[in-house]
Amino acid sequence: MLRESKQKLPVILSILIFSILDFCAMTFFQDLLHTPLFFDTIFMIAALFAFGPVAALFEYVIFISLVCVKLIFLYGKTDHVYLYTLSALTIILVTHLFVRRKEKLHQGVNLTFLYILTASVLAGLACSVVSGFINYFSSNLIQKNWDFNKIIFAFSGEYLDFLVSAIIGRIPVTILDRVITTFAGFGVSSLYSKIMYGGG
């Protein structure tokens, strides 16, 4: 029992560190650089590759909790950003469907690239739909002047209704974000495995 606890401790600490690093990445790209890409799931994806979907979800829950604490401290409210846990769960599930058999990711660079790219694009599409519905049903999420919103609602107007624009406007940005963060997460997990276990 004690031995199992000692084996789990490095994983728990790693998940906690990953969550803090995602929070730092989001703060840097959103608050300091004011970019529409937050890159706030790099280490969530790293946790997915390294430890599995349950660990990745826990990583995101810790991360979004830190975000909520920050928003309460700065603005006195969370703007219901915790609802984006549904988007994170969608990303985790879709990505996991493609990368759950890790041996597939070690059969050559080309195959690895195609698996991760396909997972990224499909996760981006699925996340766009889920996040669009979150925006649609929770108007508080669009009151904050995020640079991201300036892009995702560019389609909003007389030709498209709010829900459609919230989904379609997200697709190009979200797919780009997913491709970058998924490949970065895979790289982080590979580096983590080499440091911790001396292998891929």
Side-chain angles (χ1 to χ4, degrees), residues 36-148:
L37 299 172
F38 297 169
F39 300 124
D40 57 354
T41 58
I42 291 175
F43 294 92
M44 180 190 80
I45 294 298
L48 173 64
F49 281 113
F51 312 120
V54 175
L57 182 59
F58 274 116
E59 191 277 350
Y60 191 85
V61 168
I62 297 170
F63 158 76
I64 205 67
S65 298
L66 293 173
V67 174
C68 287
V69 170
K70 169 189 153 184
L71 291 176
I72 291 173
F73 179 77
L74 293 177
Y75 307 107
K77 59 180 182 178
T78 65
D79 279 346
H80 303 295
V81 294
Y82 53 81
L83 291 176
Y84 282 116
T85 304
L86 296 174
S87 298
L89 179 60
T90 302
I91 292 168
I92 291 168
L93 291 176
V94 174
T95 306
H96 181 63
L97 286 175
F98 283 86
V99 302
R100 65 187 186 279
R101 297 175 62 185
K102 291 189 177 182
E103 66 272 12
K104 295 286 186 181
L105 299 176
H106 299 284
Q107 294 182 358
V109 175
N110 292 338
L111 192 58
T112 300
F113 176 82
L114 288 175
Y115 266 103
I116 295 176
L117 181 63
T118 303
S120 303
V121 172
L122 293 181
L125 290 172
C127 180
S128 296
V129 174
V130 173
S131 297
F133 272 99
I134 291 174
N135 277 147
Y136 181 73
F137 289 111
S138 185
S139 59
N140 285 335
L141 287 171
I142 65 165
Q143 292 176 3
K144 187 171 175 57
N145 186 27
W146 284 344
D147 290 85
F148 187 67

